[in-house]
Amino acid sequence: MGADALASPLTTVALPAALGLIMFGLGLSLTPADFARVGRRPRAAVVALSCQLLLLPVLGFGLALLFGLPPETAVGLMLLAASPGGTAANLYSHLFRGDVALNISLTAINSVLAVVTLPIVVKLSVAFFQPGELSVGLRFSKTVEVFLVVLGPVALGMLVRRLRPAFADAMDRPVRVVSVAFLTLLIGAAVAANIATLKDEVVGLAGVTIAFCILSLTVGFVVPRVLKVARDQAIASAFEVGLHNAALAIVVAQSVLQRPEMSLPAAVYGVLMFPLAAVFGLVLTRTAPREAARAIT
């Protein structure tokens, strides 16, 4: 998929609109109590956030070097690593008996922190990998753009929920359904328009994106369990840490950084993460009885 194709109006206008609708739907389901909940059970949240904010950029950096990625692709992988968890984490956590309330809290807090952490990771990545003439300083305008992409729709959704809670409850599910359908349609259209070149990109990036997804999920589960976090909370952490907001990474690469080629890792990852997460969840289900037996003995 070439830069011109990636930078088409389909992805530079319609995709940000779809992301805005998704984040608005997230806001409709959030209240200040979701943030306060973390304060009442901070251990699991602190461990999960540490994995997300500290370990994943290191993991992404190591994989970029190990796979010898080109500079633009390497920065794109780091952008993906710095993106917060996506709304899919809530669904997978629910399916595989995770603490969904913890997922909601982590998504909310991660989205706020990403306004600061994402530009920092991108700046450091650009300084190291030096992709062409791109210069990404922590300019106020860039921070504002990330803020508008990440938090603007969420804040609007939360405001609607506060002012019209009944309306927010009624619209929560329809907005989620429409936003997912809209996003699926856009991705399908983009794939159809660039099917030949997309095949080449998937082949070239499948290895590193699969490794990144599996390792992210594993880190998100194993680290909390080693630190004695409850299993259901560790499951929530696994999906929050392992299922990134690929749409956000794509929008930031294309609309904020204006480097469409940097969105390729997120685009490939966005296709592969769903089946990989499902398999990971099934593995967790199979290992649950054995873990319980060890706990008894």
Side-chain angles (χ1 to χ4, degrees):
M1 188 184 301
D4 293 339
L6 283 170
S8 68
L10 180 70
T11 52
T12 58
V13 178
L15 185 58
L19 176 63
L21 188 59
I22 291 172
M23 301 304 281
F24 175 74
L26 173 63
L28 288 177
S29 66
L30 292 176
T31 68
D34 294 314
F35 295 88
R37 185 184 297 116
V38 176
R40 296 194 295 271
R41 48 197 320 182
R43 182 182 180 83
V46 169
V47 172
L49 289 172
S50 297
C51 291
Q52 174 75 47
L53 300 176
L54 300 177
L55 296 184
L56 285 196
V58 174
L59 176 62
F61 180 74
L63 288 174
L65 295 179
L66 179 64
F67 280 83
L69 298 182
E72 292 82 0
T73 309
V75 174
L77 182 64
M78 295 300 294
L79 172 60
L80 177 64
S83 298
T87 54
N90 300 342
L91 172 61
Y92 277 86
S93 185
H94 172 71
L95 290 175
F96 296 105
R97 302 182 184 280
D99 185 342
V100 180
L102 178 61
N103 279 107
I104 294 173
S105 301
L106 289 173
T107 299
I109 293 175
N110 244 336
S111 297
V112 174
L113 294 177
V115 174
V116 176
T117 59
L118 194 148
I120 291 176
V121 171
V122 171
K123 179 184 178 181
L124 294 176
S125 302
V126 168
F128 182 87
F129 293 107
Q130 298 183 341
E133 300 300 321
L134 178 64
S135 175
V136 182
L138 295 180
R139 298 191 299 274
F140 180 73
S141 61
K142 294 291 184 185
T143 303
V144 169
E145 286 184 70
V146 175
F147 176 85
L148 292 176
V149 167
V150 177
L151 291 187
V154 174
L156 180 60
M158 292 182 67
L159 179 63
V160 170
R161 181 171 185 81
R162 180 177 179 83
L163 298 178
R164 297 287 187 273
F167 174 79
D169 288 336
M171 292 300 296
D172 181 41
R173 182 175 177 80
V175 168
R176 287 175 184 268
V177 171
V178 170
S179 62
V180 171
F182 186 25
L183 184 60
T184 302
L185 179 63
L186 290 176
I187 293 176
V191 169
N194 302 278
I195 187 65
T197 49
L198 182 61
K199 288 180 180 178
D200 296 334
E201 300 297 347
V202 168
V203 171
L205 291 173
V208 68
T209 51
I210 289 174
F212 178 71
C213 185
I214 293 175
L215 289 174
S216 297
L217 289 163
T218 303
V219 166
F221 180 77
V222 172
V223 172
R225 291 303 283 153
V226 169
L227 296 177
K228 308 300 183 183
V229 171
R231 182 180 175 84
D232 64 333
Q233 294 178 326
I235 292 173
S237 170
F239 290 117
E240 191 67 33
V241 172
L243 295 181
H244 297 267
N245 193 335
L248 172 62
I250 293 171
V251 169
V252 171
Q254 296 181 5
S255 300
V256 179
L257 302 180
Q258 297 183 348
R259 294 295 289 267
E261 63 273 19
M262 290 183 180
S263 67
L264 286 172
V268 176
Y269 171 89
V271 174
L272 298 177
M273 70 175 184
F274 294 107
L276 291 173
V279 172
F280 184 84
L282 291 174
V283 171
L284 290 182
T285 302
R286 292 291 184 89
T287 58
R290 282 178 286 178
E291 188 172 330
R294 288 195 300 268
I296 294 173
T297 58

